[in-house]
Amino acid sequence: MTTVVLIGTQWGDEGKGKITDFLAEKADLVVRYQGGNNAGHTVVVGENSFKLHLIPSGILYPDKICVIGNGVVIDPKVLKEELEYLRERGIATDNLKISLRAHLIMPYHKKLDELEEEDKGENKIGTTKRGIGPAYRDKAARTGIRVCDLLDKELFAEKLALNLKEKNNLLEKIYGVEGFSYDELYHEYLEYAEVIRPYATDTSRLINDAIEGGQKVLFEGAQGTLLDLDHGTYPYVTSSHPVAGAACIGAGIGPTKIHKVIGVVKAYTTRVGSGPFPTELLDETGEFLRKQGYEFGTTTGRPRRCGWFDGVIARYAARVNGLSGLAVTKLDVLTGLETIKVAVGYRFNGKVINEFPASLKELSRCEPVYEELPGWSEDITGARKLTDLPENARNYLRKIEEITGVPIKIISVGTRRDQTIILD
Ligand code: 2SA
Ligand code: GDP
Ligand code: MG
């Protein structure tokens, strides 16, 4: 491995946490480049299950440098809690590095996220209410507060005052709720400044120096391609860029520094939050997938919507991310299904289309065109090489390769590190 970007190809929760953890063993640095604590990555190490939201999954290895890049939005309260959660479980956090350029999530961002969702009623996005959208909005509006601002008392005081003037006005006059006290926020955040200070650095420099020095860097994407602000199912997306290209911007490296892009593909499809989902199963098969795959949000506990594997989406993700390889996860969850359906195109206005439409109105009218493949009943959680898998499972994987045109490099057949098959 040299420089690898690992991304989600669907609507998130593909099992990126597990694959990151697996690949991190061979990496020197693990870097997060977008999103915030809306992410929920579950990593199972032996008998222990770790749920990480903000800190890169690589932290579970004592010798890896873990970076929160400039493209991430940081809720310092959550950072403090996550650091404590890890330390309480015997995980050292000294190798964490945080970008001086990363933006902060403030309590008014969370409040606004909540109020805006309520206001939208039936049209709500289904956000995680972690303040992600409002924080990125301030970043784009050039009013955001960054880590380097927080570490400078006077600058922070100035920026906080300016922001509170605007936000309290909005909260009180538009939403009719109480605003935030300057003094309380100022003192709360000064405490967080001291939590962040030991980790804060120029992470772009750090990452580039590591690459130049021949070290191996793994970029850990959060959410998934269809939640991307540009390439996803807008407006039912997150406010960052989960696609591979964003690793450059969110970490401060150039495109020439990336060698491989691995797309994590769940063997079926899930989605949390609102918006169209062509292969969604609202029947007992959907219920079977949710139960077998334990499909509940890692951050919010929400039940995930479940459906068949969607080849149109996978092909689209292969293109917009420039995938060089696939990691197929949760293949074991399909065990026991007599037949498995795979969407190979959509029927729209009486015609078959192969491209993922830009218009959501169009997408919501698309009917999947399915191919049916025979399932398998054998327990595959003990498989460690391709030939351990039943023929029907191998045929299913071959179908995914055929649809996407991308070779499968990793197959996951269970939550644990060892429940993984590596292909050359
Ligand atoms: P936000 O909070 O502004 O990013 O929400 C906007 C949309 O992005 C979706 N989103 C996610 N979808 C899947 N998984 C996510 N992380 C958690 C997990 C989710 C959870 O790992 O399970 O616990 O509920 C995630 N984060 C954001 C969100 O559902 C909206 O559709
Ligand atoms: P992420 O957001 O992409 O990191 O995914 P999540 O951690 O939110 O959700 C994936 C869930 O599936 C987690 O609970 C993982 O432990 C679990 N998981 C990952 N790979 C496998 C697998 O191959 N089989 C099964 N049964 N579970 C898996
Ligand atoms: Mg997740």
Side-chain angles (χ1 to χ4, degrees), residues 11 13 38 40 126-128 227 237-238 272 297-300 302 304:
W11 275 289
D13 309 318
N38 50 345
T127 75
T128 57
L227 290 171
V237 292
T238 190
V272 244
T298 309
T299 303
T300 62
R302 293 179 291 177
R304 294 174 183 150

Side-chain angles (χ1 to χ4, degrees), residues 74-78 104-110 145 150-151 156 160 182-196:
I74 300 173
D75 183 335
K77 183 169 187 279
V78 172
L104 298 177
I105 297 178
M106 306 296 290
Y108 46 78
H109 291 137
K110 290 184 264 190
I145 303 180
L150 176 66
L151 300 185
F156 178 63
L160 181 66
Y182 172 88
D183 283 339
E184 271 177 37
L185 270 195
Y186 179 71
H187 288 107
E188 183 186 345
Y189 270 66
L190 280 196
E191 265 182 48
Y192 299 146
E194 296 323 305
V195 174
I196 294 182

Side-chain angles (χ1 to χ4, degrees), residues 12-14 16 39-42 298 304:
D13 309 318
E14 297 89 351
K16 296 176 297 293
H41 298 164
T42 312
T298 309
R304 294 174 183 150

Side-chain angles (χ1 to χ4, degrees), residues 79-151:
L79 177 77
K80 182 171 177 260
E81 285 163 5
E82 203 158 291
L83 285 166
E84 282 162 6
Y85 162 85
L86 287 166
R87 284 189 205 121
E88 273 164 22
R89 304 179 87 186
I91 306 290
T93 55
D94 316 340
N95 286 336
L96 180 67
K97 306 284 173 197
I98 298 174
S99 171
L100 286 162
R101 291 181 171 84
H103 280 246
L104 298 177
I105 297 178
M106 306 296 290
Y108 46 78
H109 291 137
K110 290 184 264 190
K111 191 75 200 164
L112 286 168
D113 198 353
E114 230 174 79
L115 292 168
E116 285 167 14
E117 278 286 272
E118 266 169 39
D119 236 29
K120 286 195 176 98
E122 283 208 341
N123 296 323
K124 70 171 198 255
I125 308 287
T127 75
T128 57
K129 299 186 184 162
R130 299 307 192 256
I132 306 295
Y136 277 115
R137 187 163 68 206
D138 277 359
K139 176 177 175 174
R142 294 155 294 188
T143 54
I145 303 180
R146 299 184 297 166
V147 167
C148 58
D149 304 329
L150 176 66
L151 300 185

